[in-house]
Amino acid sequence: MSLVNGYFDSFRGAVNTWECDDNGHMNVQFYVARASDGAFFLRHELGLTPSTIRETGRTMIAIEEHYRFHRELYAGDMVRMRSRLIDMRPRTLVVYHELLNAATDETAATMVAVSAHFDMKTRKLAPWPEEALARGRALIGPLPEHAEARSVRRETRLPDITLAQADTKDLIEIYRGPVARHHCDDFGHMATQFYISRYSDGSGHLWQGIGMDRQRLMRERRGSVVLEQRLNYVREVVSGDIVIVKSALVEVAAKTIRLCHFMFNGETGLLVATSEVTAVLLDLDKRRAVALSEEERAQFAPHLHTLEDIVR
């Protein structure tokens, strides 16, 4: 292993056309996919090599991921990722991934993930082996200032509510669909990319649900983008499960809105994942955030919730 300024290389590739969305840039789910790809090399650095994982039945899974999106990436852009540990705990660790435009060396996104050692047989967390602890502690470094949380806190969770509770709170249903086999990873559960893809795919329903005409946005050349997001993985989701996402608008500012997403197992009604998001409207020609008008903020007002109201 070679470290450069305290980091190890964890991904190198490019942005494909099919990874870009209707805003013309790489969709958020593929930033998450790159962090998932980088985790393979993190596991390798800890001694959890692919062959070791297959032999022991123990691996590493994400519990929480916090993202800040700094600069847009477009089809054809070359990207690379560097990683380091921030903390090493008895059963968990905190890792920092930084995704860079490989041509300009500018930071495109920063990602801070809390991950855990996981026993694939018992489906429970397990203590790290001593070798992994020693290797991990040697990789620890500071979290850069530009990766610190701003509008969405790290290492916190939204309330563990049920689908039945959500149904009584007039939350907006933004997604309903199945979990396919190709959405799942080698560890038997849905890969992280496909959690955020459901939030992203439901964004049009969300904006429509809070009073913003999606067709009008398209005519005015405005798109919706995420600035900062925290993902929490609460219960496992496997192939064949059905999932439902309900969302709430919890804050409106001059340019930004804050949203809370709740993903449920459609059969059991139990919460499986949550996400807290700060989003803006983007001028698709100037590539700048657009301030919300007084009329738009007034349209949003009837749809505002508080977390206290949601769990009451």
Side-chain angles (χ1 to χ4, degrees), residues 95-129:
V95 61
Y96 170 62
H97 301 294
E98 185 167 4
L99 189 66
L100 302 119
N101 183 315
T104 65
D105 232 25
E106 293 179 313
T107 299
T110 52
M111 317 159 196
V112 181
V114 180
S115 297
H117 193 219
F118 182 69
D119 188 311
M120 290 187 283
K121 183 176 181 180
T122 65
R123 313 307 287 184
K124 293 181 179 179
L125 304 190
W128 294 109

Side-chain angles (χ1 to χ4, degrees), residues 67 114 190 251 296:
Y67 291 82
V114 180
M190 188 162 73
E251 185 179 305
E296 288 166 341

Side-chain angles (χ1 to χ4, degrees), residues 139-263:
L139 298 172
I140 290 176
L143 181 67
E145 185 178 350
H146 62 269
E148 292 284 0
R150 295 183 66 185
S151 58
V152 177
R153 291 187 300 164
R154 291 197 295 111
E155 298 207 49
T156 187
R157 274 190 177 188
L158 295 176
D160 190 352
I161 63 173
T162 64
L163 179 58
Q165 286 177 287
D167 284 340
T168 67
K169 299 300 180 179
D170 196 31
L171 302 189
I172 301 165
E173 183 175 315
I174 68 167
Y175 179 85
R176 171 179 294 248
V179 178
R181 185 174 299 175
H182 64 271
H183 296 158
C184 298
D185 58 24
D186 288 346
F187 311 136
H189 52 212
M190 188 162 73
T192 54
Q193 171 189 345
F194 295 102
Y195 286 84
I196 198 169
S197 71
R198 284 156 169 80
Y199 304 138
S200 179
D201 289 350
S203 64
H205 292 281
L206 187 139
W207 285 97
Q208 192 83 21
I210 61 175
M212 181 65 77
D213 187 328
R214 181 68 174 171
Q215 297 303 314
R216 173 186 162 188
L217 286 178
M218 295 174 69
R219 287 195 304 271
E220 295 177 353
R221 295 282 298 153
R222 292 194 291 172
S224 58
V225 298
V226 173
L227 297 181
E228 187 171 1
Q229 184 163 11
R230 186 189 69 251
L231 308 170
N232 295 90
Y233 306 100
V234 181
R235 295 176 177 89
E236 288 189 278
V237 176
V238 299
S239 178
D241 282 347
I242 52 175
V243 293
I244 297 170
V245 179
K246 292 191 175 259
S247 303
L249 174 67
V250 296
E251 185 179 305
V252 178
K255 281 190 176 182
T256 63
I257 64 171
R258 190 159 57 90
L259 306 159
C260 293
H261 299 303
F262 299 86
M263 184 182 293

